[in-house]
Amino acid sequence: MEDPKPARAQSSRSRPRQPKEGAAPESKGPEAKAVPASGYAIADPAEFASNMVRVGQQSQKLLADYMKRQAEKIGKEPLDPLNIGGAFSDLLAAMANNPQPMFEATYALWNDYLTLWERTARKLMGETVDPVVTPTAGDKRFRDKDWQENQVFDFIKQSYLLTANWLQSTVGNIEGVEPAQAKRIRFYTKQFADAMAPTNFILTNPEVLRLTMQTNGENLVKGLDHLLEDLDRGQGQLAIRQTADAFRVGENIALSPGKVIFRNELVELLQYDPSTAEVYERPLLIFPPWINKFYILDLRKENSFIKWLTEHGYTVFVASWVNPDRRLAQKTFEDYMRDGIFACLDAVEQATGVRDPNVVGYCIGGTLLASTLAYMAAGNDNRINSATFWAAQADFTEAGDLSVFVDDAQLEALQQQMENAGGVLSGGKMATTFNMLRANDLIWSFVVNNYLLGKEPMPFDLLYWNSDTTRMPEKTHLFYLREFYKNNALSRGKLEIGGRKLDLKKVKVPIYLQSAREDHIAPFRSVYKATKLYGGPVRFILAGSGHIAGVINAPAAKKYQYWTNDELPDTVDEWQQGAKETPGSWWPDWDAWLSKLSGKKIPARKPGDGKLKPLGNAPGSYVKIKAQ
């Protein structure tokens, strides 16, 4: 099948690419030694053959190493830790009990293929025809021009999209499967469809195929080297490198000046230097998630939330959680409350003399904060003046795709894995779970770039932070998954900590709930449900973007938007109907709310002014502990 409009030979590095914010220029891949006119011809057959021999040798080594590592794991790990077999057994049973929808779906797919073949034939004859199917908005996989201009690749693309869409819609409409199981089936079906995309294979990705021809396969040799390195780094698990190792915490990221003023075995408390002559009397205490490290709040001066807060007159304290090892495997969720939140509240009082700071909880740090507020309310403890939640859930009935990982079989398998690892979950396993939520962006794009194109990943601070993973202690992690994701015990009033049953209705302090429209970890529909849980005044806002950029959005960037509505109707859909959109960052809205709760202005305090003397410079030592 001849393309009437041959593609001009072009390597991936010759096409201009928009750099990501905060990223250095992209590294170059293998150099093309010759550029055939067709774009899909081998530049030097002899060198190509030599490189293919090297690829074969590397592949043999790769396979041998993989088989050896897998053999060592036999009997040590569950055979199906994600319980995928159980989910699809239920699907097959439901299909067998009601085969008619499957017959109808298959007939519809066949008709779509007939239409595709007919339109492709007409296009070959020179007609202008509309595509049968197109990628969804935001799908970056098919950006290469030959997916549109080369009829062979256009046909491959549309065939894949038809099949992938059909597969996902079909399994999503099978009746007779329990809702939670149906959600898992849809999730893993999408994982399969994403994995089988033509962009992930040499012969069906025009960009990879061109570069392979032009460099005589040097990109594949380099890519296999990268793959072996990543397997070694992950100790047998594939640890895909998402960014060049160009960052050092405390040297070119996490640079806001401050001191460590308190430390125990779970947390270091950082107090940041003031940026103004006067500050609000009431300090601000922030609890980030322990699933990641705190310096997402302080990547660069241009987008540092910490820097912005100090410039707006706040005395800022941030908890830096330790990266736990086996010694801390039996630390509980209650320990994170007592040795984390309570210990930091005591330290803030000693450092400033203020007993009741305003407090922030981000992601799981917010879930811990919500639980702590309910615990404190049950004991008439009023040491928190107000609470802000960034992308944090208290009601988990609509918790998003992370809930697919918490059925009984998976939790038992996870417990076995953690016990075999000495009572901790490795940072790599946590990273894989989160990357699966956005597989095309965080897995397959790097498979193509690193292994098929043979390129080095770009230096990108956000992805460096994303790859700087932490371990999870067994007791805390299993409690969190069971009691929150599986049982939704906090919102139902059934969670008990330290002998106290937790009731969020008893929490009367002012609450600010931030959510993000595209958040796939703490969906805004889930966050909104907390507006009906607390007993005091609540403000809810919806920001643009997702779990990270929806929170870390400095006003100077003039990006995204946010929505506000002083009313809190029963559903978030009703809330959205009456919401007002404001361009830019939501930070000024929060500042207007928070400043009214922060007291009068006083001369700026510095770390060490109070009863606690500095133990070292920010960002501290805990943040530099690496996970394996």
Side-chain angles (χ1 to χ4, degrees), residues 363-403:
C363 188
I364 190 176
T367 304
L368 174 66
L369 176 59
S371 304
T372 302
L373 285 169
Y375 179 90
M376 295 171 73
N380 297 315
D381 185 342
N382 60 357
R383 285 181 293 161
I384 290 178
N385 182 63
S386 75
T388 296
F389 296 92
W390 299 337
Q393 300 172 93
D395 184 317
F396 286 74
T397 52
E398 295 187 57
D401 284 338
L402 276 175
S403 60

Side-chain angles (χ1 to χ4, degrees), residues 99-126:
Q100 186 62 30
M102 193 66 194
F103 291 140
E104 295 173 355
T106 303
Y107 180 74
L109 178 63
W110 177 247
N111 275 337
D112 286 340
Y113 269 123
L114 288 176
T115 303
L116 175 60
W117 294 332
E118 180 260 335
R119 292 191 186 181
T120 300
R122 288 168 54 195
K123 190 174 181 181
L124 283 171
M125 296 172 64

Side-chain angles (χ1 to χ4, degrees), residues 564-600:
T564 56
N565 184 350
D566 292 337
E567 301 296 323
L568 295 174
D570 289 340
T571 69
V572 72
D573 291 326
E574 295 174 278
W575 183 91
Q576 286 181 291
Q577 290 174 10
K580 173 188 175 184
E581 180 178 349
T582 303
S585 172
W586 60 273
W587 294 5
D589 180 84
W590 181 50
D591 177 41
W593 179 87
L594 185 64
S595 61
K596 296 173 183 176
L597 298 166
S598 298
K600 62 184 180 181

Side-chain angles (χ1 to χ4, degrees), residues 493-504:
K494 295 183 179 297
L495 187 66
E496 188 172 303
I497 294 179
R500 296 179 184 176
K501 186 166 285 190
L502 307 187
D503 182 359
L504 290 174

Side-chain angles (χ1 to χ4, degrees), residues 477-540:
H477 196 53
L478 290 174
F479 179 89
Y480 174 62
L481 294 178
R482 285 194 176 108
E483 296 303 322
F484 293 96
Y485 271 96
K486 184 174 183 294
N487 299 332
N488 197 22
L490 178 61
S491 72
R492 297 168 61 202
K494 295 183 179 297
L495 187 66
E496 188 172 303
I497 294 179
R500 296 179 184 176
K501 186 166 285 190
L502 307 187
D503 182 359
L504 290 174
K505 278 296 181 186
K506 294 180 179 179
V507 176
K508 306 295 185 181
V509 300
I511 300 290
Y512 188 103
L513 295 174
Q514 181 273 346
S515 65
R517 185 174 55 178
E518 298 167 20
D519 194 332
H520 57 288
I521 294 175
F524 72 89
R525 295 182 180 277
S526 182
V527 176
Y528 185 81
K529 289 182 177 295
T531 62
K532 306 305 174 186
L533 297 179
Y534 297 104
V538 176
R539 180 168 179 78
F540 174 85

